[in-house]
Amino acid sequence: MDGGIDVIEFRSVTKRFADGTVAVDGLDLVVESGKITVFVGPSGCGKTTSLRMINRMIEPTEGTITVDGRDVMAGHPADLRRGIGYVIQQAGLFPHKTIRDNIATVPLLLGWSKPKARARAEELMQTVGLGPEMAGRYPAQLSGGQQQRVGVARALAADPPVLLMDEPFSAVDPVVRESLQDELLRLQGELGKTIVFVTHDIDEAVKLGDKVAVFRTGGHLAQYAEPAELLARPADDFVDGFVGRDRGYRTLGFLSDEVPLGTITPVHVGESATGGWTLVVDEEDKPLGWVTGAGPVAEADVLPGGTLHPVASGSLRSALDAALSSPSGQGVAVDDEGRLAGSISADAVLAALAAAREAA
Amino acid sequence: MVWDWIPRNTALIWGALQVHVVLALIPVVAGLVLAVPLGWLASRNGAVRAVFIPAASVLYTIPSLAVFIVLPAILGTQILDPLNVVVALTIYTVALLVRSVADALAAVPALVVAAATAMGYKPGRRFVSVELPLAVPVLIAGLRVAAVSNISLVSVGALIGVGGLGQLFTEGYQRDFPTEIIVGIVLIVLLALVVDGLLVLAGRFITPWARVAA
Amino acid sequence: MSLLFSYLFDAAHWSGPTGIPARIGEHLFYSVLALALGAVVAVPLGALIGHTRRGGFLVVGIANGMRALPELGLLTLLVLLMGIDLLPVTIALAVLAVPPLLAGTYSGVRNVDQGAVDAARGMGMREWQILFKVEIPNALPLILGGLRASALQVIATAAVAAYVSFGGLGRFLIDGLKSLDYSQMAAGAILVALLALAVEGLLALVQRAVVSPGLRGGGRRSPTAEITTPDSSPDSTDTTTATPEPAGATP
Ligand SMILES: Nc1ncnc2c1ncn2[C@@H]1O[C@H](COP(=O)(O)OP(=O)(O)OP(=O)(O)O)[C@@H](O)[C@H]1O
Ligand SMILES: [Mg+2]
């Protein structure tokens, strides 16, 4: 990756459709290489149009778009597109082809041999977390989440430096969506592609984006910033309204944690508690839950605990959530192996927040 | 094209047209009357459907001239009796419409039927006032196909000496006189277009709700 | 009953240039020629209109207009104009083959999942690659459905050829009618029906063999979806492909 070079650049790009609709109006934007850039905004604000102009599925009316310095309007669009991965909402898989052959599409278009293309497809299935037994199946035999994984694998098949994704996860349920998002972040950690990702979900945008471009209806760019910046300092009322009321709370997700841990004395099952709320751990010191009152602790007495705060990777948001969700009012922090590391109070989190604000 | 053949033979042409209309359209009406109860049965009962629908498809494979010829043996009619043509085309129409009716009734949303039942409709009344009207658009589509093909099929009757515009074909062929054939073709196509258009209009007229949705 | 079958089961009628096998051969020959001509016209036209999504009204117009044409009139007219030749017979029969094939190809291509087409274009397929690698393979069930309907129609109707002095199974009908030989007519009728059914069955097997297993089970296009839009829109062609027509259009 040629980090630092601007890979995709919009210069005063306007798109006016035949019916007079101005979908994008004078867009100036530089998408940085090796990063995830998210286009977010209300329905109809021109996100899809902007994205599809990058691979020339839609041609700009005015202005120029360059990918790695080359004008997208030069040359045959099919050649441009073969070097850009493209993932859409319903995956758009070919119903008549097996999963393996779906993924092998672009390599075959590029003239790879069949065995090589298929081997590559099978390798990618593993990358996106699909079992090898699915290779011979047809799209209709897959769940929505699995189809979406195939869509991503297919876009990655020829190893394009740029990946365009238009609401790829919006048709799956929230749990699957969350796991697909995590998967994408993990993949991106390995691959370092230049990804443009369209969504209308601000939570998805701040979770995935290295940079977020907020679009306003009429095809104008309202703000282009890193997620933390966007949440902390919305450029105007529109962005403020769009990022939502609990943006203060979400900002915590971008502050790394420097909360001092309290000490806590846990018990094991079978031992005796001394009264009040007591944390119960298993033989490996992993938290099981809480008991209340004095006397010997039976497994059946253990109440489920709140969320756990991972000390190494957590943020102020996860620390505060651990404190607020614990039945005892004391949050539980754990180390990388999931073993008890200490306790967290909401007050300690707020103090850390104040310190972070002062430092900023 | 011998144009002046037309004014000299208006009586012949007009007579053939009238016979043609009658022979083509009686089967459409008769077929409709028979197909609705049969289609209803098929939509209600899987076993009936499993017999009717394949039987209907097989019927189509039998050439109409063959049916015109075989029917006298079954009906005891004369081979040149126009009734053979009417009965044969009625059979085709029923075969075509049974399937349309069954599909159309099956497509009426179960929720609508359940709601009508909950409102206190008895099955017979519910069929007439709820299910049948909702099936009308599909029924009209089936009727259009039946009417257009009947209009073209009646002409085959000319081969067994039955009247209608088909006579212009056999006569024109025997006399080596293309004008007569062309007149017959044009009239049949026009007749088909008119009847088809009327059915479309009728469909719009009796399903005002579909117009709103469109 | 014996009247129905006596001609058919007489061994003397099963050999020679006017025997039953020879007539079946002629009948199939005319039918295949007509189907081939019809397909050469209808499939490219339907695929083009379906791919560009422009001119759907043309499909409805052509299909309905051709359906209204009386076969007997067309055949007699063409033979008078062009002479007693295989070409007018082929053209007259091909006219029957066009509507189902045209409507089937058009609606098949048009109804291919637009997400798949969009993805194909986005991955860098050229338009002809989209048509041949994505749209046509996905449209195959409907195209072959159209072919089956056409074949049924053409075989049942090819009997008219006998009226203008050609061979085929229609000979038994026309000759039987002239001499009022009832069992000969019955033999012709039965043989045409059996032949149509046999070809229909054969094409059903072909369809099984060539359609991708990923397209079986027909999730995307339910029959109810087809019949709820019966008129006015280009989709009305779906209704007509879904419903077989009286194939016995002529003798
Ligand atoms: N082919 C077209 N012809 C005319 N107008 C169009 C066309 N495609 C999009 N538009 C209009 O352009 C505007 C922007 O559309 P676009 O699809 O880019 O929105 P979007 O931000 O992706 O919205 P969504 O979140 O709903 O997907 C909309 O007003 C839309 O109606
Ligand atoms: Mg969009």
Side-chain angles (χ1 to χ4, degrees), chain A residues 81-99:
Chain A
R81 292 170 191 156
R82 286 175 196 180
I84 299 178
Y86 183 55
V87 188
I88 56 177
Q89 187 174 351
Q90 302 283 358
L93 301 184
F94 302 141
H96 64 298
K97 289 196 172 182
T98 59
I99 301 312

Side-chain angles (χ1 to χ4, degrees), chain A residues 148-276:
Chain A
Q148 234 19 282
R149 284 167 196 265
V150 177
V152 173
R154 187 173 64 172
L156 289 171
D159 204 16
V162 178
L163 207 54
L164 307 180
M165 309 179 87
D166 192 353
E167 306 204 28
F169 306 148
S170 64
V172 294
D173 69 67
V175 177
V176 176
R177 188 181 315 149
E178 180 115 15
S179 79
L180 287 171
Q181 289 165 349
D182 293 338
E183 201 92 352
L184 179 67
L185 287 173
R186 179 186 64 75
L187 263 179
Q188 173 67 353
E190 292 167 19
L191 304 174
K193 303 278 180 196
T194 303
I195 299 179
V196 183
F197 190 106
V198 166
T199 178
H200 54 247
D201 174 0
I202 185 70
D203 286 314
E204 187 167 61
V206 298
K207 174 172 178 181
L208 296 179
D210 295 308
K211 279 253 185 93
V212 177
V214 183
F215 283 68
R216 181 204 314 277
T217 310
H220 299 278
L221 188 59
Q223 186 170 7
Y224 184 42
E226 289 176 9
E229 168 81 8
L230 194 70
L231 292 170
R233 278 176 287 278
D236 57 23
D237 288 347
F238 171 80
V239 180
D240 190 15
F242 191 76
V243 297
R245 199 170 299 153
D246 50 354
R247 69 182 168 86
Y249 180 59
R250 280 205 298 260
T251 311
L252 294 177
F254 296 95
L255 296 174
S256 61
D257 135 63
E258 269 154 42
V259 187
L261 297 185
T263 51
I264 184 165
T265 319
V267 298
H268 294 91
V269 173
E271 293 172 357
S272 237
T274 53

